[in-house]
Amino acid sequence: MSRRWIQNLNRCADEYLDGIEDFIEFARRHNPGATRIRCPCRRCNNTLWETIENVGFHLVMNGMIETYSIWNLHGEQLDYASSSNATRMDSVEPIVDPNDQVMDIIQDAFPFASTNINHEREDDVPTLIDSAEFEQYEKLLKNANQELYPGCESFSVLTAIVELMHGKIKYRMTNLCFDYFLGVFKRMLPTDNCLPKDHKHAQKMLNGLGLGYEKIDACKNNCMLFYKEHETLDTYPICNESRFKMTSQNRTTKIPQKVMRYLPLKPRLQQLYMSTHTATDMRWHKEKRVDDDVMRHPADGEA
């Protein structure tokens, strides 16, 4: 079966649409009973799992990865398979305990805190950490070990919040929508459950897991930022626009016209190097890259 349709840039062409149908049929045939498979569209890049129906929509909207002509991640045997009994690459979503995943997240966010607690030998020197940071770690650990309700073994409080917040972001739910469903779930569960009552309380329980950001007031016309030497100004020296919105005189808090959210780079790089899941990839260009004077990666260049 020819797969030249993958290179077709016209995703409305009959050849391309027929090719998608062939791929979906192939995936169903080689993954019987699977409800979710890897999505080979250019956006998901075979790293995200979607329902088979959604995979079809993604391929129409985003196109298939141009180099994915051998569907080995969806059941196709590679050419070097020695027999019909050769091991097939796993295309069914792996079963992972969500509670274990959350504990891994905490371990990555606070590697020094968990190392200090696990030190048992006298010759080990614990790493000094900030007391406020350690307090955050203890709160997260407590919520990670606390049952969602008495007798619940599937979800801890923290696991439930992480799962719900992930769904909120993935499906672009508004805060009001999230608050409504959170209230419904809370009423469905036993009365002594520990689920937070709204989005605000859920975010507070997740403090410490995220890397956070800085809010910097900005000019309404994008002239400048109220930052560093301009941090105390109330009007923009360039266009003379007011920094804050016009509000009632009785209001004690001022509302800025526009806010920029700055994501500091340094802590994010530190997190990538500290995490056991990404540290190896961050060091790849130094430890695993083939150095044979052939330019095959940006790290091979002098710059």
Side-chain angles (χ1 to χ4, degrees):
M1 179 178 64
S2 173
R3 293 178 182 169
R4 288 180 301 177
W5 60 271
I6 297 176
Q7 312 293 332
N8 193 336
L9 298 179
N10 182 8
R11 295 198 286 273
C12 295
D14 291 338
E15 178 195 27
Y16 186 83
L17 297 176
D18 291 342
I20 291 178
E21 289 184 6
D22 291 339
F23 171 77
I24 295 298
E25 181 183 350
F26 178 91
R28 290 184 189 277
R29 187 169 63 250
H30 287 77
N31 300 276
T35 57
R36 298 166 73 88
I37 60 173
R38 293 179 185 268
C39 180
C41 79
R42 295 176 184 176
R43 184 174 181 181
C44 297
N45 200 33
N46 269 330
T47 60
L48 300 181
W49 300 78
E50 295 287 350
T51 62
I52 295 180
E53 292 76 14
N54 281 348
V55 168
F57 292 138
H58 281 205
L59 292 176
V60 174
M61 290 188 298
N62 307 322
M64 181 178 280
I65 305 169
E66 293 182 0
T67 57
Y68 191 51
S69 57
I70 299 176
W71 299 335
N72 56 299
L73 295 179
H74 296 82
E76 184 171 7
Q77 298 287 349
L78 298 176
D79 292 339
Y80 58 73
S82 58
S83 68
S84 60
N85 294 325
T87 303
R88 178 166 61 91
M89 294 190 71
D90 189 12
S91 59
V92 180
E93 189 170 10
I95 300 174
V96 181
D97 187 350
N99 293 316
D100 291 341
Q101 286 183 317
V102 167
M103 293 302 292
D104 287 343
I105 293 173
I106 296 176
Q107 171 73 29
D108 288 340
F110 300 92
F112 300 129
S114 55
T115 301
N116 285 356
I117 286 180
N118 292 330
H119 273 307
E120 295 180 355
R121 298 180 319 189
E122 294 181 358
D123 57 342
D124 285 331
V125 179
T127 306
L128 295 177
I129 62 172
D130 184 74
S131 58
E133 184 181 358
F134 190 75
E135 186 178 347
Q136 272 189 337
Y137 169 75
E138 286 188 318
K139 287 181 180 178
L140 288 168
L141 200 61
K142 177 183 175 182
N143 289 327
N145 291 320
Q146 183 179 6
E147 295 177 339
L148 183 59
Y149 56 85
C152 177
E153 298 180 357
S154 303
F155 287 94
S156 67
V157 176
L158 192 61
T159 303
I161 295 173
V162 169
E163 291 272 3
L164 291 171
M165 293 292 277
H166 174 70
K168 176 186 183 300
I169 295 170
K170 183 176 181 179
Y171 298 107
R172 301 177 183 178
M173 295 171 62
T174 63
N175 290 351
L176 287 175
C177 179
F178 185 78
D179 286 348
Y180 170 76
F181 281 108
L182 203 59
V184 172
F185 295 151
K186 192 169 180 65
R187 293 195 301 272
M188 288 179 178
L189 295 173
T191 54
D192 51 355
N193 70 80
C194 301
L195 195 68
K197 62 180 181 179
D198 55 26
H199 177 258
K200 183 178 179 180
H201 286 79
Q203 272 195 322
K204 283 184 178 179
M205 297 182 77
L206 291 180
N207 280 347
L209 283 184
L211 291 169
Y213 55 84
E214 297 178 24
K215 288 184 178 181
I216 303 175
D217 294 351
C219 172
K220 176 183 177 181
N221 301 319
N222 302 321
C223 298
M224 58 171 284
L225 298 174
F226 284 97
Y227 188 59
K228 293 186 177 180
E229 66 271 15
H230 303 301
E231 189 173 0
T232 58
L233 298 179
D234 287 338
T235 57
Y236 302 97
I238 298 176
C239 61
N240 294 321
E241 279 285 348
S242 173
R243 176 177 180 174
F244 304 102
K245 294 180 180 179
M246 298 295 294
T247 57
S248 170
Q249 294 181 352
N250 297 328
R251 190 181 182 94
T252 57
T253 57
K254 296 180 179 181
I255 304 175
Q257 298 265 23
K258 183 178 287 188
V259 176
M260 184 195 78
R261 287 166 175 80
Y262 167 61
L263 309 177
L265 177 62
K266 184 177 177 180
R268 282 161 173 78
L269 289 175
Q270 289 175 333
Q271 191 100 341
L272 288 171
Y273 278 103
M274 288 191 297
S275 171
T276 56
H277 300 91
T278 54
T280 303
D281 294 334
M282 295 298 290
R283 299 194 306 268
W284 173 87
H285 66 283
K286 179 65 176 178
E287 299 176 352
K288 300 292 181 66
R289 179 172 54 90
V290 178
D291 190 5
D292 56 1
D293 296 328
V294 176
M295 175 71 78
R296 59 167 61 87
H297 187 274
D300 293 323
E302 293 182 3

